């Protein structure tokens, strides 16, 4: 199970790092064309989301990999669960079923990592 959790952590970290970098580096017009929710969201909020995604990506891997404060790994996963629950609410409110589906899948994977690392497969 430890290997499976590491794989899930790595996949989540890669996805959220890529998403965060994209939101920070691409022009707003390009992002709005890809993510409809961004047209109603202030640019500062998008940047906060991007920074949170990148921090979570680092938090999922770095603390446990270097052995310093490994409690931050499940904490990062729990933070993603909270952020994804809010994102799912946004997509439900905007009536974006595909956004809800993707968000819920990522939420479940993040919850599994948080459960595993806080619980029976912690450090």
């Amino acid at each position: 199970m430890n290997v499976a959790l590491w794989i899930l952590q790595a996949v989540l970290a890669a996805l959220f790092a890529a998403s965060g970098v994209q939101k920070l580096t691409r022009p707003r017009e390009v992002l709005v064309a890809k993510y409809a929710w961004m047209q109603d969201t202030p640019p500062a909020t998008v940047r906060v989301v991007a920074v949170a995604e990148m921090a979570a990506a680092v938090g999922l891997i770095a603390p446990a990999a270097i052995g310093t404060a490994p409690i931050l790994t499940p904490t990062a996963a729990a933070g993603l669960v909270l952020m994804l629950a809010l994102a799912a609410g946004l997509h439900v409110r905007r009536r974006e079923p595909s956004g809800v589906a993707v968000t819920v899948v990522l939420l479940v994977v993040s919850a599994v990592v948080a459960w595993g690392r806080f619980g029976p497969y912690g450090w």
Side-chain angles (χ1 to χ4, degrees):
M1 185 65 168
N2 188 46
V3 172
L5 287 171
W6 269 110
I7 291 168
L8 292 176
Q9 287 169 229
V11 168
L12 284 172
L15 289 172
F16 282 102
S19 178
V21 166
Q22 178 179 332
K23 287 179 183 127
L24 285 176
T25 59
R26 294 212 172 149
R28 183 170 175 80
E29 300 77 33
V30 173
L31 293 172
V32 168
K34 186 173 182 179
Y35 304 109
W37 63 270
M38 285 190 185
Q39 65 193 117
D40 301 328
T41 307
T45 302
V46 174
R47 285 202 172 86
V48 168
V49 169
V51 170
E53 288 175 342
M54 293 175 65
V58 171
L60 285 169
I61 301 295
I66 62 175
T68 303
I71 191 69
L72 294 177
T73 296
T75 303
L80 277 175
V81 169
L82 176 62
M83 188 170 76
L84 289 164
L86 294 170
L90 172 82
H91 291 301
V92 166
R93 193 178 78 233
R94 291 181 51 86
R95 293 182 176 93
E96 298 171 345
S98 63
V100 173
V102 170
T103 303
V104 168
V105 168
L106 291 173
L107 186 148
V108 169
V109 173
S110 298
V112 167
V113 170
W115 166 81
R117 293 303 184 201
F118 271 131
Y121 305 100
W123 318 109

